[in-house]
Amino acid sequence: MDSILDSVKKSLGIMPEYTHFDQDIILCINTALMILNQLGVGNELIIEDSSATWNDFLSDNTRFEMVKTYVYLRTRMTFDPPSSSVMMDALKEQ
């Protein structure tokens, strides 16, 4: 299964080999994962590097894409928010 960190970085347009922002992205990802876990989705998981996979967080394959989308959007809004308020509102709606 895919690495959580690497797949979120790819969605953000950052190559997995580029590690300069990893700690900032990991912080945002962990926040999203904790929110989902508090809502009853997935296992309690704190990622520290690219070794954690989506399967470590969620064993229910039917929710993978929804969880990936939420974690990406939440990370994007925190790590790289859009400058346009219209785009920010669209991300929040998701």
Side-chain angles (χ1 to χ4, degrees):
M1 192 48 56
D2 294 336
S3 160
I4 296 173
L5 177 60
D6 290 347
S7 62
V8 171
K9 284 171 65 173
K10 184 177 177 185
S11 295
L12 291 169
I14 301 170
M15 297 303 295
E17 304 83 37
Y18 189 75
T19 59
H20 186 75
F21 296 111
D22 279 7
Q23 291 306 311
D24 299 320
I25 296 169
I26 287 170
L27 179 68
C28 298
I29 291 170
N30 283 333
T31 300
L33 294 177
M34 284 185 238
I35 290 169
L36 285 170
N37 185 255
Q38 288 176 347
L39 293 171
V41 177
N43 300 314
E44 190 171 314
L45 177 70
I46 305 264
I47 71 166
E48 298 175 1
D49 53 32
S50 63
S51 64
T53 66
W54 289 107
N55 200 40
D56 294 335
F57 179 68
L58 187 67
S59 57
D60 179 5
N61 291 335
T62 61
R63 296 184 185 180
F64 269 136
E65 296 309 313
M66 181 174 47
V67 167
K68 287 179 182 181
T69 300
Y70 176 81
V71 171
Y72 159 70
L73 290 172
R74 182 75 185 197
T75 302
R76 167 84 194 277
M77 286 177 39
T78 307
F79 176 74
D80 185 24
S83 58
S84 163
S85 62
V86 173
M87 184 63 176
M88 179 62 98
D89 290 342
L91 286 175
K92 286 179 183 180
E93 289 289 323
Q94 293 291 321

Coordinates of all heavy atoms in Angstrom, one line a residue:
M1 N 0.9 -1.2 0.0 CA 0.0 0.0 0.0 C 0.9 1.2 0.0 O 2.0 1.2 0.4 CB -0.9 0.0 1.2 CG -2.0 0.9 1.3 SD -3.1 1.1 -0.1 CE -3.8 -0.5 -0.4
D2 N 0.4 2.3 -0.5 CA 1.1 3.6 -0.6 C 1.5 4.2 0.7 O 0.7 4.1 1.7 CB 0.3 4.6 -1.4 CG 0.0 4.2 -2.8 OD1 0.8 3.4 -3.4 OD2 -1.0 4.7 -3.4
S3 N 2.6 4.9 0.7 CA 3.0 5.6 1.9 C 2.1 6.8 2.0 O 1.8 7.5 1.0 CB 4.5 6.1 1.7 OG 4.8 7.2 2.5
I4 N 1.7 7.1 3.2 CA 0.8 8.3 3.4 C 1.5 9.6 3.1 O 1.0 10.4 2.3 CB 0.3 8.3 4.9 CG1 -0.6 7.1 5.2 CG2 -0.4 9.6 5.2 CD1 -0.9 7.0 6.7
L5 N 2.7 9.7 3.6 CA 3.5 11.0 3.3 C 3.7 11.1 1.8 O 3.5 12.2 1.3 CB 4.8 10.9 4.1 CG 5.7 12.1 3.9 CD1 5.1 13.4 4.2 CD2 7.0 11.9 4.6
D6 N 4.2 10.1 1.2 CA 4.6 10.2 -0.2 C 3.3 10.5 -1.1 O 3.4 11.3 -2.0 CB 5.3 9.0 -0.7 CG 6.7 8.8 -0.2 OD1 7.2 9.8 0.4 OD2 7.2 7.7 -0.3
S7 N 2.2 9.9 -0.8 CA 1.0 10.2 -1.6 C 0.5 11.6 -1.4 O 0.0 12.2 -2.4 CB -0.1 9.1 -1.4 OG -0.5 9.1 -0.1
V8 N 0.5 12.1 -0.2 CA 0.1 13.4 0.1 C 1.0 14.4 -0.6 O 0.6 15.4 -1.2 CB -0.1 13.7 1.6 CG1 -0.3 15.2 1.9 CG2 -1.2 12.9 2.2
K9 N 2.3 14.2 -0.5 CA 3.3 15.0 -1.2 C 3.0 15.1 -2.7 O 3.1 16.1 -3.3 CB 4.7 14.6 -0.9 CG 5.2 14.9 0.5 CD 6.5 14.3 0.9 CE 7.7 14.7 0.0 NZ 9.0 14.2 0.5
K10 N 2.8 13.9 -3.3 CA 2.5 13.9 -4.7 C 1.3 14.7 -5.0 O 1.2 15.4 -6.0 CB 2.3 12.4 -5.1 CG 2.1 12.2 -6.6 CD 2.0 10.8 -7.0 CE 1.7 10.7 -8.5 NZ 1.5 9.3 -8.9
S11 N 0.2 14.6 -4.2 CA -1.0 15.4 -4.4 C -0.7 16.9 -4.3 O -1.4 17.7 -5.0 CB -2.1 15.0 -3.4 OG -2.5 13.7 -3.6
L12 N 0.2 17.2 -3.5 CA 0.6 18.7 -3.3 C 1.5 19.1 -4.4 O 1.9 20.3 -4.5 CB 1.3 18.9 -2.0 CG 0.4 18.7 -0.7 CD1 1.3 18.7 0.5 CD2 -0.6 19.8 -0.7
G13 N 2.0 18.2 -5.3 CA 2.9 18.6 -6.3 C 4.3 18.5 -5.9 O 5.2 19.2 -6.6
I14 N 4.7 17.8 -4.9 CA 6.0 17.7 -4.3 C 6.5 16.3 -4.6 O 5.9 15.3 -4.2 CB 6.1 18.0 -2.8 CG1 5.5 19.5 -2.6 CG2 7.5 17.9 -2.3 CD1 5.3 19.8 -1.1
M15 N 7.7 16.2 -5.2 CA 8.2 14.9 -5.4 C 8.6 14.2 -4.1 O 9.1 14.9 -3.2 CB 9.5 15.0 -6.3 CG 9.2 15.5 -7.7 SD 7.9 14.6 -8.6 CE 8.8 13.0 -8.8
P16 N 8.4 12.9 -4.0 CA 8.7 12.2 -2.8 C 10.2 12.3 -2.3 O 10.5 12.3 -1.2 CB 8.4 10.7 -3.1 CG 7.4 10.8 -4.2 CD 7.7 12.0 -5.0
E17 N 11.1 12.5 -3.3 CA 12.5 12.6 -3.0 C 12.9 13.9 -2.3 O 13.9 14.1 -1.7 CB 13.4 12.5 -4.3 CG 13.2 11.2 -5.1 CD 11.9 11.3 -6.0 OE1 11.7 12.4 -6.6 OE2 11.2 10.3 -6.1
Y18 N 12.0 14.9 -2.5 CA 12.3 16.3 -1.9 C 11.8 16.3 -0.5 O 10.5 16.2 -0.3 CB 11.6 17.4 -2.8 CG 12.0 18.8 -2.4 CD1 13.2 19.3 -2.7 CD2 11.1 19.5 -1.6 CE1 13.6 20.5 -2.3 CE2 11.5 20.8 -1.3 CZ 12.7 21.3 -1.6 OH 13.1 22.6 -1.2
T19 N 12.7 16.3 0.5 CA 12.3 16.1 1.9 C 12.3 17.4 2.7 O 12.1 17.4 3.9 CB 13.2 15.1 2.5 OG1 14.6 15.5 2.4 CG2 13.1 13.7 1.8
H20 N 12.6 18.5 2.1 CA 12.8 19.8 2.8 C 11.6 20.2 3.7 O 11.7 20.7 4.8 CB 13.1 20.9 1.9 CG 13.4 22.2 2.5 ND1 14.6 22.4 3.2 CD2 12.7 23.3 2.7 CE1 14.6 23.6 3.7 NE2 13.5 24.2 3.5
F21 N 10.3 19.9 3.2 CA 9.1 20.3 3.9 C 8.5 19.1 4.6 O 7.4 19.2 5.1 CB 8.1 20.9 2.9 CG 8.6 22.2 2.3 CD1 8.9 22.2 0.9 CD2 8.7 23.3 3.0 CE1 9.3 23.4 0.3 CE2 9.1 24.5 2.5 CZ 9.4 24.5 1.1
D22 N 9.1 18.0 4.7 CA 8.5 16.8 5.3 C 8.0 17.0 6.7 O 6.8 16.6 7.0 CB 9.5 15.6 5.3 CG 9.6 14.9 4.0 OD1 9.0 15.4 3.0 OD2 10.2 13.8 3.9
Q23 N 8.7 17.6 7.6 CA 8.2 17.8 8.9 C 7.0 18.7 9.0 O 6.0 18.4 9.8 CB 9.3 18.4 9.8 CG 10.5 17.4 10.1 CD 10.0 16.1 10.6 OE1 9.2 16.0 11.6 NE2 10.5 15.0 10.0
D24 N 6.9 19.7 8.2 CA 5.7 20.6 8.1 C 4.5 19.8 7.6 O 3.4 19.9 8.1 CB 5.9 21.8 7.2 CG 7.1 22.6 7.7 OD1 7.2 22.8 9.0 OD2 7.9 23.1 6.9
I25 N 4.7 19.0 6.5 CA 3.7 18.2 5.9 C 3.2 17.1 6.9 O 2.0 16.9 7.0 CB 4.1 17.6 4.6 CG1 4.4 18.8 3.6 CG2 3.1 16.7 4.0 CD1 5.0 18.3 2.3
I26 N 4.1 16.5 7.6 CA 3.8 15.4 8.5 C 2.9 16.0 9.7 O 2.0 15.4 10.1 CB 5.1 14.8 9.1 CG1 5.7 13.9 8.0 CG2 4.8 14.0 10.4 CD1 7.1 13.4 8.4
L27 N 3.2 17.2 10.1 CA 2.4 17.8 11.2 C 1.0 18.0 10.7 O 0.0 17.7 11.4 CB 3.0 19.2 11.5 CG 2.3 20.0 12.6 CD1 2.4 19.3 13.9 CD2 2.9 21.4 12.6
C28 N 0.8 18.5 9.5 CA -0.5 18.7 8.9 C -1.3 17.3 8.7 O -2.5 17.2 9.0 CB -0.4 19.4 7.6 SG 0.3 21.0 7.7
I29 N -0.5 16.3 8.2 CA -1.1 15.0 8.0 C -1.6 14.4 9.3 O -2.7 13.9 9.5 CB -0.1 14.0 7.3 CG1 0.1 14.5 5.9 CG2 -0.6 12.6 7.4 CD1 1.2 13.7 5.2
N30 N -0.7 14.5 10.4 CA -1.1 13.9 11.7 C -2.3 14.6 12.2 O -3.2 14.0 12.9 CB 0.1 14.0 12.6 CG 1.1 13.0 12.4 OD1 0.8 11.9 11.9 ND2 2.4 13.3 12.7
T31 N -2.5 15.9 12.0 CA -3.7 16.6 12.5 C -4.9 16.1 11.8 O -5.9 15.8 12.4 CB -3.6 18.1 12.2 OG1 -2.4 18.7 12.9 CG2 -4.8 18.9 12.6
A32 N -4.8 15.9 10.5 CA -6.0 15.3 9.7 C -6.3 13.9 10.2 O -7.5 13.5 10.3 CB -5.7 15.4 8.2
L33 N -5.3 13.1 10.4 CA -5.5 11.7 10.8 C -6.1 11.7 12.2 O -7.0 10.8 12.5 CB -4.2 10.9 10.8 CG -3.6 10.7 9.4 CD1 -2.2 9.9 9.6 CD2 -4.5 9.9 8.5
M34 N -5.7 12.6 13.1 CA -6.3 12.6 14.5 C -7.7 13.0 14.4 O -8.6 12.5 15.1 CB -5.5 13.6 15.3 CG -4.2 13.0 15.8 SD -3.4 14.1 17.0 CE -1.8 14.3 16.1
I35 N -8.1 14.0 13.6 CA -9.5 14.4 13.4 C -10.3 13.3 12.9 O -11.4 13.0 13.5 CB -9.6 15.6 12.5 CG1 -9.0 16.9 13.1 CG2 -11.0 15.9 12.1 CD1 -8.8 18.0 12.2
L36 N -9.9 12.6 11.9 CA -10.6 11.4 11.4 C -10.8 10.3 12.5 O -11.8 9.8 12.6 CB -9.9 10.8 10.2 CG -10.0 11.6 8.9 CD1 -9.1 11.0 7.8 CD2 -11.5 11.6 8.4
N37 N -9.7 10.1 13.2 CA -9.8 9.1 14.3 C -10.8 9.5 15.4 O -11.5 8.6 15.9 CB -8.4 8.8 14.9 CG -8.4 7.7 15.9 OD1 -8.4 8.0 17.1 ND2 -8.5 6.5 15.4
Q38 N -10.8 10.7 15.7 CA -11.8 11.2 16.7 C -13.2 11.1 16.2 O -14.1 10.9 17.0 CB -11.5 12.7 17.1 CG -10.3 12.9 17.9 CD -10.0 14.3 18.2 OE1 -10.5 15.2 17.6 NE2 -9.0 14.6 19.1
L39 N -13.4 11.1 14.9 CA -14.7 10.9 14.3 C -15.1 9.4 14.1 O -16.1 9.1 13.6 CB -14.8 11.6 12.9 CG -14.7 13.2 13.0 CD1 -14.6 13.7 11.6 CD2 -15.9 13.7 13.7
G40 N -14.1 8.6 14.5 CA -14.4 7.1 14.4 C -13.9 6.5 13.2 O -14.3 5.3 12.9
V41 N -13.0 7.2 12.4 CA -12.5 6.6 11.2 C -11.0 6.3 11.4 O -10.3 7.1 11.8 CB -12.7 7.6 10.0 CG1 -12.0 7.0 8.7 CG2 -14.1 8.0 9.8
G42 N -10.7 5.1 11.1 CA -9.3 4.6 11.1 C -8.7 4.4 12.5 O -9.3 4.6 13.5
N43 N -7.5 3.9 12.4 CA -6.7 3.6 13.7 C -6.0 4.8 14.2 O -5.7 5.7 13.4 CB -5.7 2.5 13.4 CG -6.3 1.2 12.9 OD1 -7.3 0.7 13.4 ND2 -5.7 0.7 11.8
E44 N -5.7 4.8 15.4 CA -4.9 5.9 16.0 C -3.5 5.7 15.5 O -2.9 4.7 15.7 CB -4.9 5.8 17.5 CG -4.3 7.0 18.2 CD -4.5 7.0 19.7 OE1 -5.6 6.7 20.1 OE2 -3.5 7.3 20.4
L45 N -3.0 6.7 14.7 CA -1.7 6.6 14.1 C -1.1 8.0 14.0 O -1.7 9.0 13.7 CB -1.9 6.1 12.6 CG -0.7 6.0 11.8 CD1 0.3 4.9 12.3 CD2 -1.0 5.8 10.3
I46 N 0.2 8.0 14.4 CA 1.0 9.2 14.2 C 2.1 8.9 13.2 O 2.9 7.9 13.5 CB 1.6 9.7 15.5 CG1 0.6 9.9 16.6 CG2 2.5 10.9 15.3 CD1 0.1 11.3 16.8
I47 N 2.2 9.6 12.1 CA 3.3 9.2 11.2 C 4.5 10.1 11.5 O 4.4 11.2 12.0 CB 2.9 9.4 9.7 CG1 2.7 10.9 9.3 CG2 1.6 8.6 9.4 CD1 2.7 11.1 7.8
E48 N 5.7 9.5 11.3 CA 7.0 10.2 11.6 C 7.8 10.3 10.3 O 8.8 11.1 10.3 CB 7.7 9.4 12.6 CG 7.0 9.4 14.0 CD 7.7 8.6 15.0 OE1 8.8 8.0 14.7 OE2 7.2 8.5 16.1
D49 N 7.5 9.4 9.3 CA 8.3 9.4 8.1 C 7.4 8.8 7.0 O 6.2 8.5 7.2 CB 9.6 8.7 8.3 CG 9.5 7.3 8.8 OD1 8.4 6.7 8.6 OD2 10.4 6.9 9.6
S50 N 8.1 8.4 5.9 CA 7.3 7.8 4.8 C 7.0 6.3 4.9 O 6.5 5.7 4.0 CB 8.0 8.1 3.5 OG 9.3 7.4 3.5
S51 N 7.4 5.7 6.1 CA 7.1 4.3 6.2 C 5.7 3.9 6.6 O 5.3 2.8 6.3 CB 8.1 3.7 7.3 OG 7.7 4.3 8.6
A52 N 4.9 4.9 7.1 CA 3.5 4.6 7.4 C 2.7 4.5 6.2 O 2.8 5.4 5.3 CB 3.0 5.7 8.4
T53 N 1.8 3.5 6.1 CA 1.0 3.4 4.9 C -0.5 3.6 5.2 O -0.9 3.7 6.4 CB 1.1 2.0 4.3 OG1 0.6 1.0 5.2 CG2 2.6 1.6 4.0
W54 N -1.3 3.8 4.1 CA -2.7 4.0 4.3 C -3.3 2.8 5.0 O -4.3 2.9 5.8 CB -3.4 4.3 3.0 CG -3.0 5.6 2.4 CD1 -2.2 5.9 1.4 CD2 -3.5 6.9 2.9 NE1 -2.1 7.3 1.2 CE2 -2.9 7.9 2.1 CE3 -4.3 7.3 4.0 CZ2 -3.1 9.3 2.3 CZ3 -4.5 8.6 4.2 CH2 -3.9 9.6 3.4
N55 N -2.8 1.6 4.7 CA -3.3 0.4 5.3 C -3.1 0.4 6.8 O -3.8 -0.2 7.6 CB -2.7 -0.8 4.7 CG -3.5 -2.1 4.9 OD1 -4.7 -2.0 4.9 ND2 -2.9 -3.2 5.1
D56 N -2.0 1.1 7.3 CA -1.8 1.2 8.8 C -2.9 2.0 9.4 O -3.2 1.8 10.6 CB -0.4 1.9 9.0 CG 0.8 1.0 8.6 OD1 0.7 -0.2 8.5 OD2 1.8 1.7 8.3
F57 N -3.4 3.0 8.7 CA -4.4 3.8 9.3 C -5.8 3.2 9.1 O -6.6 3.3 10.0 CB -4.4 5.2 8.6 CG -5.4 6.1 9.1 CD1 -5.4 6.6 10.4 CD2 -6.5 6.5 8.3 CE1 -6.4 7.4 10.9 CE2 -7.5 7.4 8.8 CZ -7.5 7.8 10.1
L58 N -6.1 2.7 7.9 CA -7.4 2.2 7.6 C -7.4 0.9 6.9 O -6.8 0.8 5.8 CB -8.1 3.3 6.7 CG -9.6 3.1 6.4 CD1 -10.4 3.2 7.7 CD2 -10.0 4.1 5.4
S59 N -8.0 -0.1 7.5 CA -8.0 -1.4 6.9 C -9.2 -1.6 6.0 O -9.3 -2.6 5.3 CB -7.9 -2.5 8.0 OG -9.0 -2.4 8.9
D60 N -10.2 -0.7 6.1 CA -11.4 -0.8 5.3 C -11.2 -0.2 3.9 O -11.2 1.0 3.8 CB -12.6 -0.1 6.0 CG -13.9 -0.1 5.3 OD1 -13.9 -0.8 4.2 OD2 -14.8 0.5 5.7
N61 N -11.0 -1.1 2.9 CA -10.6 -0.6 1.6 C -11.7 0.3 0.9 O -11.4 1.0 0.0 CB -10.3 -1.8 0.7 CG -9.0 -2.5 1.1 OD1 -8.2 -1.8 1.7 ND2 -8.9 -3.7 0.7
T62 N -12.9 0.2 1.4 CA -14.0 1.0 0.7 C -13.9 2.5 1.1 O -14.5 3.3 0.4 CB -15.4 0.5 1.2 OG1 -15.5 0.6 2.6 CG2 -15.6 -1.0 0.8
R63 N -13.1 2.8 2.1 CA -13.0 4.2 2.5 C -11.7 4.9 2.1 O -11.5 6.1 2.4 CB -13.2 4.4 4.0 CG -14.6 4.0 4.5 CD -14.7 4.2 5.9 NE -16.0 3.7 6.4 CZ -16.4 3.8 7.7 NH1 -15.6 4.4 8.6 NH2 -17.5 3.4 8.0
F64 N -10.8 4.1 1.5 CA -9.5 4.6 1.2 C -9.5 6.0 0.5 O -8.9 6.9 0.9 CB -8.6 3.7 0.4 CG -7.8 2.7 1.2 CD1 -7.8 1.4 0.9 CD2 -7.1 3.2 2.3 CE1 -7.0 0.5 1.7 CE2 -6.4 2.3 3.1 CZ -6.3 0.9 2.8
E65 N -10.2 6.0 -0.6 CA -10.2 7.2 -1.5 C -10.8 8.4 -0.8 O -10.3 9.5 -0.9 CB -10.9 7.0 -2.8 CG -10.2 5.9 -3.7 CD -8.7 6.2 -3.8 OE1 -8.3 7.3 -4.1 OE2 -7.9 5.2 -3.7
M66 N -11.8 8.2 0.0 CA -12.4 9.3 0.7 C -11.5 9.8 1.8 O -11.3 11.0 2.0 CB -13.7 8.8 1.4 CG -14.5 9.9 2.2 SD -16.1 9.4 2.8 CE -15.8 7.9 3.5
V67 N -10.8 8.9 2.5 CA -9.9 9.3 3.5 C -8.7 10.0 2.9 O -8.2 11.1 3.4 CB -9.4 8.1 4.4 CG1 -8.2 8.4 5.2 CG2 -10.6 7.6 5.2
K68 N -8.2 9.5 1.8 CA -7.0 10.2 1.1 C -7.4 11.6 0.7 O -6.6 12.5 0.9 CB -6.6 9.3 -0.1 CG -5.9 8.1 0.2 CD -5.6 7.4 -1.1 CE -4.9 6.0 -0.9 NZ -4.5 5.4 -2.1
T69 N -8.6 11.7 0.2 CA -9.0 13.1 -0.3 C -9.1 14.0 0.9 O -8.6 15.2 0.8 CB -10.4 13.0 -1.0 OG1 -10.2 12.1 -2.1 CG2 -10.9 14.4 -1.4
Y70 N -9.7 13.6 2.0 CA -9.8 14.4 3.2 C -8.5 14.8 3.7 O -8.2 16.0 4.0 CB -10.6 13.7 4.3 CG -10.7 14.6 5.5 CD1 -11.6 15.6 5.6 CD2 -9.8 14.4 6.6 CE1 -11.6 16.4 6.8 CE2 -9.8 15.2 7.7 CZ -10.7 16.2 7.8 OH -10.8 17.0 8.9
V71 N -7.6 13.9 3.8 CA -6.2 14.2 4.4 C -5.5 15.1 3.5 O -4.9 16.1 3.9 CB -5.4 12.9 4.6 CG1 -4.0 13.2 5.0 CG2 -6.1 12.0 5.7
Y72 N -5.6 14.9 2.1 CA -4.9 15.9 1.2 C -5.5 17.3 1.3 O -4.8 18.2 1.4 CB -5.1 15.4 -0.2 CG -4.9 16.5 -1.2 CD1 -3.7 17.1 -1.4 CD2 -6.0 17.0 -1.9 CE1 -3.5 18.1 -2.3 CE2 -5.8 18.1 -2.8 CZ -4.6 18.6 -3.0 OH -4.4 19.7 -3.8
L73 N -6.9 17.4 1.3 CA -7.5 18.7 1.4 C -7.2 19.4 2.7 O -6.9 20.6 2.7 CB -9.0 18.6 1.2 CG -9.5 18.2 -0.2 CD1 -11.0 17.9 -0.2 CD2 -9.2 19.3 -1.2
R74 N -7.2 18.7 3.8 CA -6.9 19.3 5.1 C -5.4 19.8 5.1 O -5.1 20.8 5.6 CB -7.2 18.3 6.2 CG -7.0 18.7 7.5 CD -8.1 19.6 8.0 NE -7.8 20.2 9.3 CZ -8.6 20.8 10.0 NH1 -9.9 20.9 9.7 NH2 -8.3 21.2 11.2
T75 N -4.5 18.9 4.6 CA -3.1 19.3 4.5 C -2.9 20.5 3.6 O -2.1 21.4 4.0 CB -2.3 18.1 4.1 OG1 -2.5 17.0 5.0 CG2 -0.8 18.4 4.1
R76 N -3.5 20.5 2.5 CA -3.4 21.6 1.5 C -3.8 22.9 2.2 O -3.2 23.9 2.0 CB -4.2 21.3 0.3 CG -4.4 22.5 -0.7 CD -3.2 22.6 -1.6 NE -3.2 23.9 -2.3 CZ -3.9 24.2 -3.3 NH1 -4.7 23.3 -3.9 NH2 -3.8 25.4 -3.9
M77 N -5.0 22.9 2.9 CA -5.5 24.1 3.5 C -4.5 24.6 4.5 O -4.4 25.8 4.7 CB -6.9 23.9 4.1 CG -7.9 23.8 3.0 SD -9.6 23.4 3.6 CE -9.7 24.4 5.1
T78 N -3.8 23.8 5.2 CA -2.9 24.2 6.3 C -1.5 24.5 5.8 O -1.0 25.5 6.1 CB -2.8 23.1 7.4 OG1 -4.2 22.7 7.8 CG2 -2.1 23.5 8.6
F79 N -1.0 23.6 4.9 CA 0.4 23.7 4.5 C 0.5 24.7 3.3 O 1.5 25.5 3.3 CB 0.9 22.3 4.0 CG 2.3 22.4 3.4 CD1 3.4 22.6 4.2 CD2 2.5 22.3 2.0 CE1 4.6 22.6 3.7 CE2 3.7 22.3 1.5 CZ 4.8 22.5 2.3
D80 N -0.4 24.7 2.4 CA -0.3 25.5 1.2 C -1.7 26.1 0.8 O -2.3 25.7 -0.2 CB 0.3 24.7 0.0 CG 0.5 25.5 -1.2 OD1 0.7 26.7 -1.1 OD2 0.5 24.9 -2.3
P81 N -2.2 27.0 1.6 CA -3.5 27.5 1.4 C -3.6 28.4 0.1 O -2.6 29.1 -0.2 CB -3.8 28.4 2.6 CG -2.5 28.7 3.2 CD -1.6 27.6 2.8
P82 N -4.7 28.3 -0.6 CA -4.8 29.1 -1.9 C -4.9 30.6 -1.5 O -5.4 31.0 -0.5 CB -6.0 28.6 -2.5 CG -6.8 28.0 -1.5 CD -5.8 27.5 -0.4
S83 N -4.4 31.5 -2.4 CA -4.4 32.9 -2.1 C -5.8 33.5 -2.4 O -6.2 34.5 -1.9 CB -3.4 33.6 -3.0 OG -3.6 33.4 -4.3
S84 N -6.6 32.8 -3.2 CA -7.9 33.2 -3.6 C -8.9 32.7 -2.6 O -9.0 31.6 -2.2 CB -8.3 32.6 -5.0 OG -9.7 32.7 -5.2
S85 N -9.8 33.7 -2.1 CA -10.8 33.3 -1.1 C -11.8 32.4 -1.7 O -12.4 31.6 -1.1 CB -11.5 34.6 -0.5 OG -12.1 35.3 -1.6
V86 N -12.1 32.5 -3.0 CA -13.0 31.6 -3.7 C -12.5 30.2 -3.7 O -13.3 29.3 -3.4 CB -13.2 32.1 -5.2 CG1 -14.1 31.1 -5.9 CG2 -13.9 33.5 -5.2
M87 N -11.2 30.0 -4.0 CA -10.6 28.7 -4.0 C -10.6 28.1 -2.5 O -10.9 26.9 -2.3 CB -9.2 28.7 -4.5 CG -8.6 27.4 -4.6 SD -9.5 26.4 -5.8 CE -8.4 25.0 -5.8
M88 N -10.3 29.0 -1.5 CA -10.3 28.5 -0.2 C -11.7 28.1 0.2 O -11.9 27.0 0.9 CB -9.9 29.6 0.8 CG -9.9 29.2 2.2 SD -8.8 27.9 2.6 CE -7.4 28.8 3.2
D89 N -12.7 28.8 -0.1 CA -14.1 28.4 0.1 C -14.5 27.1 -0.5 O -15.2 26.2 0.0 CB -15.1 29.5 -0.3 CG -15.0 30.7 0.6 OD1 -14.5 30.6 1.7 OD2 -15.5 31.8 0.1
A90 N -14.0 26.9 -1.8 CA -14.2 25.6 -2.5 C -13.6 24.5 -1.8 O -14.2 23.4 -1.6 CB -13.7 25.7 -3.9
L91 N -12.3 24.6 -1.2 CA -11.7 23.6 -0.5 C -12.4 23.3 0.8 O -12.6 22.1 1.2 CB -10.2 24.0 -0.2 CG -9.2 23.9 -1.3 CD1 -7.9 24.5 -0.9 CD2 -9.1 22.5 -1.9
K92 N -12.9 24.3 1.5 CA -13.7 24.1 2.7 C -15.0 23.4 2.5 O -15.4 22.6 3.3 CB -14.0 25.5 3.4 CG -12.8 26.1 4.0 CD -13.1 27.4 4.6 CE -11.9 28.1 5.2 NZ -12.3 29.4 5.8
E93 N -15.6 23.6 1.3 CA -16.8 22.9 1.0 C -16.6 21.4 0.8 O -17.5 20.6 1.1 CB -17.4 23.5 -0.3 CG -18.0 24.9 -0.2 CD -19.3 24.9 0.7 OE1 -20.1 24.0 0.5 OE2 -19.5 25.8 1.4
Q94 N -15.4 21.1 0.3 CA -15.1 19.7 0.1 C -15.0 19.0 1.4 O -15.4 17.9 1.6 CB -13.8 19.5 -0.7 CG -13.9 20.0 -2.1 CD -14.8 19.1 -2.9 OE1 -14.8 17.9 -2.8 NE2 -15.5 19.7 -3.8

